[in-house]
Amino acid sequence: MAQRFYDTKTATVRDFVPLTEGEVSLYYCGATVQGMPHVGHVRSAIVFDILVRWLEYTGLQVTSVRNVTDIDDKILEKSATSYGEDFEEDENYPADEPWFALAYRFEHEFARAYAALGVRRPTYEPRATGHIPEMVALIQRLIDAGHAYPATDGSGDVYFEVNSWPAYGELTRQRLEDLQDAPDADPRAKRDPRDFALWKGAKETDPATAAWESPWGRGRPGWHLECSAMSTKYLGSHFDIHGGGLDLRFPHHENELAQSAAAGDGFANFWLHNGMVTYAGEKMSKSVGNTISPEQMLEQARPKAVRYFLGQAHYRSQLDYRPTSLQEAEAAIERIEAFLDRGADVVADLQLKREEAAAVAGTLTGEEAPEAVYVAQFSSVPTAFRAAMEDDLNVPQALAVLHDAVRAGNSALAAGDEDAVEQHYSDVQSMVEVLGLDDVPEPESAQDPAAHHALDTLIRAQLDARAAARAAKDWTTADGIRDTLAAAGVVVEDSADGARWSLQ
């Protein structure tokens, strides 16, 4: 089966063939660093992290770009210099913090959130403020092509003229006459209220540091222009995939496509958009109080469980958070880890037996025994897992294959079938690696492998004693062991695969 993706522009699932054989060029929208990361930002990052890992697993060389929007109206509005006398200081927005310091501080918060959940850094992560020359050059190309115009009122604004581009609206399949006015700049000297800003002339109320020289006067770039300039700088005028959250399709991505195509660039061959995160079926809203941040999630569950939850739905689907979501994700992770822990011992013992057998064979034949006759290789995933990932990155189906392999592996453990355990262990390990679940750093309390092993050994001994008591129908002893563990903060969960433990 060929790799297939749903392309937003054509509204179809298409075969994906890279523009350059063996290579993939990917751009996905990062954050406007005006505040702390929200769960939608992190979900999008995990979606495209899984995509990159999968494409690399298939043998493709991926060049990925995720931008940082570090100059924007929202950033200026939230910096202390824009509040004046009525500004109320809080921990996120202290008084007298310049806009660039605010943006830089929140950029680090995003980096911290990504790293905590095992999201690898992209190949390039450009800041908008570092690419003003490229943006000015793109605006000039659009003016020269007759698709943009400087304002005639002395404001210094430059606008994209939507009426000059007949294909405007093609990404979201909207007609120009049905569109509302563009709200990204004061109308001032717009020829059409739907024209959007490419360059915003500096205002007297703007900080002096938030403006750059241009042929049209001092000012700063429009939001949409930033991504067009940065994506083509690092990936070329025609690249494979442009991605981002569903909420960015219009106007952001629609405007990106229009200005890039009008300038003569092929731009993105595929458009991929991930769905939103809701809270118990409702849109998250601070005013309603039904929000949860990545920081709050990480206070409630291990990073690995948070990544599992945020990555488990199909990327195009809505992901619904409920109070039990992280507990369910933690239980799923623990089932995977429990099998890998037990399976690792069996695989190690099996390898040792093979080495010992080879040594004996070498002695009998008078030949020197090889240093190692078997090395576990976790380089292939099950066929069903590959089929799921090739089918528009169907992670839910891929996870079903993963959990089927865990169940089969546990059955093999119970039956003492070492060869089957080894195969399922290899399958599970490979799938976990592709999904990035093995690349999530553990919290500090769980970073000492020796301590964890010692604790696991002691608790396993108690669980074995409890199992023996249950087999003998000595319920008093069995319940006493469970109560003792619970008092120490150890939660015991019984299942068909045996008892599992976790710290409360």
Side-chain angles (χ1 to χ4, degrees):
M1 180 177 178
Q3 182 68 55
R4 293 168 65 78
F5 293 124
Y6 178 87
D7 174 28
T8 303
K9 183 180 176 184
T10 60
T12 60
V13 177
R14 302 196 286 128
D15 287 351
F16 174 72
V17 179
L19 295 169
T20 301
E21 185 177 357
E23 301 178 8
V24 175
S25 45
L26 163 67
Y27 182 94
Y28 70 97
C29 286
T32 299
V33 286
Q34 57 171 313
M36 294 292 288
H38 61 63
V39 69
H41 292 131
V42 177
R43 184 197 180 187
S44 185
I46 290 174
V47 162
F48 289 102
D49 184 63
I50 292 174
L51 172 61
V52 170
R53 290 172 185 269
W54 170 244
L55 293 174
E56 289 180 343
Y57 170 81
T58 64
L60 295 167
Q61 180 180 337
V62 181
T63 300
S64 58
V65 182
R66 179 183 66 213
N67 71 295
V68 175
T69 297
D70 60 342
I71 181 64
D72 181 80
D73 290 343
K74 296 175 183 178
I75 293 173
L76 297 182
E77 289 169 2
K78 291 189 174 182
S79 70
T81 54
S82 297
Y83 280 88
E85 296 180 357
D86 296 329
F87 173 70
E88 295 183 6
E89 181 175 358
D90 66 29
E91 61 180 2
N92 285 330
Y93 303 103
D96 301 324
E97 182 177 34
W99 64 270
F100 52 83
L102 179 146
Y104 187 65
R105 178 163 59 85
F106 285 124
E107 180 183 340
H108 280 272
E109 293 294 342
F110 274 86
R112 186 176 294 111
Y114 295 150
L117 295 172
V119 175
R120 296 186 305 183
R121 296 197 60 163
T123 311
Y124 304 107
E125 193 166 18
R127 298 188 183 102
T129 54
H131 297 78
I132 303 298
E134 290 85 355
M135 298 174 197
V136 169
L138 177 55
I139 294 173
Q140 190 61 59
R141 288 168 60 197
L142 287 167
I143 293 174
D144 294 343
H147 297 296
Y149 59 92
T152 57
D153 60 355
S155 63
D157 294 346
V158 181
Y159 300 108
F160 181 88
E161 186 172 9
V162 294
N163 277 301
S164 74
W165 188 245
Y168 188 75
E170 63 180 325
L171 180 65
T172 51
R173 291 172 296 286
Q174 299 183 83
R175 298 186 307 169
L176 180 59
E177 55 266 31
D178 296 333
L179 298 179
Q180 297 179 342
D181 299 350
D184 62 341
D186 295 335
R188 297 201 275 208
K190 285 186 178 183
R191 295 175 182 172
D192 187 305
R194 293 164 297 191
D195 294 348
F196 58 89
L198 301 172
W199 187 260
K200 298 182 178 184
K203 299 178 182 178
E204 292 182 1
T205 55
D206 290 343
T209 53
W212 290 261
E213 296 294 340
S214 82
W216 316 283
R218 286 181 60 78
R220 51 192 169 85
W223 175 35
H224 315 302
L225 184 84
E226 296 174 352
C227 285
S228 286
M230 288 187 285
S231 60
T232 52
K233 175 180 174 64
Y234 292 95
L235 300 177
S237 62
H238 196 192
F239 54 93
D240 289 303
I241 300 171
H242 193 313
L246 196 65
D247 58 326
L248 297 177
R249 286 182 307 166
F250 188 88
H252 185 47
H253 288 169
E254 188 74 72
N255 291 351
E256 275 190 69
L257 174 58
Q259 66 198 8
S260 298
D265 293 337
F267 212 51
N269 202 28
F270 276 75
W271 290 84
L272 273 59
H273 291 95
N274 64 274
M276 301 294 99
V277 183
T278 56
Y279 192 111
E282 301 292 335
K283 182 178 179 180
M284 290 191 184
S285 170
K286 289 183 179 179
S287 60
V288 175
N290 64 341
T291 63
I292 183 167
S293 67
E295 188 177 23
Q296 290 170 319
M297 284 187 172
L298 290 169
E299 291 172 353
Q300 297 178 22
R302 287 190 300 158
K304 193 174 292 187
V306 176
R307 180 185 174 103
Y308 183 98
F309 166 68
L310 291 173
Q312 68 181 343
H314 191 284
Y315 77 92
R316 289 195 285 121
S317 300
Q318 177 176 289
L319 175 64
D320 193 38
Y321 172 82
R322 296 178 183 273
T324 58
S325 294
L326 295 180
Q327 297 173 17
E328 294 164 359
E330 182 67 50
I333 287 294
E334 288 179 356
R335 286 194 292 272
I336 297 169
E337 291 176 329
F339 168 68
L340 289 176
D341 287 344
R342 297 171 65 196
D345 293 336
V346 173
V347 171
D349 289 343
L350 189 58
Q351 180 173 346
L352 181 60
K353 289 177 183 178
R354 288 174 176 151
E355 291 173 350
E356 290 174 345
V360 170
T363 301
L364 293 175
T365 61
E367 298 176 356
E368 184 177 352
E371 293 183 4
V373 296
Y374 171 78
V375 177
Q377 298 289 336
F378 310 120
S379 58
S380 62
V381 296
T383 301
F385 182 92
R386 174 181 283 275
M389 297 296 280
E390 288 179 341
D391 183 18
D392 194 24
L393 208 69
N394 193 337
V395 171
Q397 185 58 44
L399 284 172
V401 177
L402 169 59
H403 287 291
D404 283 345
V406 169
R407 283 189 287 272
N410 284 324
S411 296
L413 283 168
D417 187 343
E418 293 180 332
D419 290 335
V421 170
E422 181 182 61
Q423 182 59 57
H424 293 307
Y425 180 88
S426 174
D427 289 345
V428 171
Q429 186 65 41
S430 296
M431 290 184 278
V432 164
E433 289 177 1
V434 168
L435 296 172
L437 292 171
D438 68 329
D439 211 13
V440 183
E442 290 286 354
E444 292 184 3
S445 59
Q447 286 182 357
D448 186 345
H452 178 78
H453 178 72
L455 182 61
D456 181 66
T457 300
L458 293 172
I459 294 176
R460 289 287 173 195
Q462 292 293 305
L463 293 179
D464 290 343
R466 177 173 173 267
R470 285 162 60 91
K473 297 187 177 181
D474 182 358
W475 307 118
T476 300
T477 299
D479 291 344
I481 293 173
R482 183 175 189 134
D483 292 343
T484 299
L485 291 172
V490 178
V491 178
V492 176
E493 180 186 355
D494 293 309
S495 71
D497 301 326
R500 296 189 298 270
W501 68 270
S502 61
L503 295 178
Q504 204 166 34

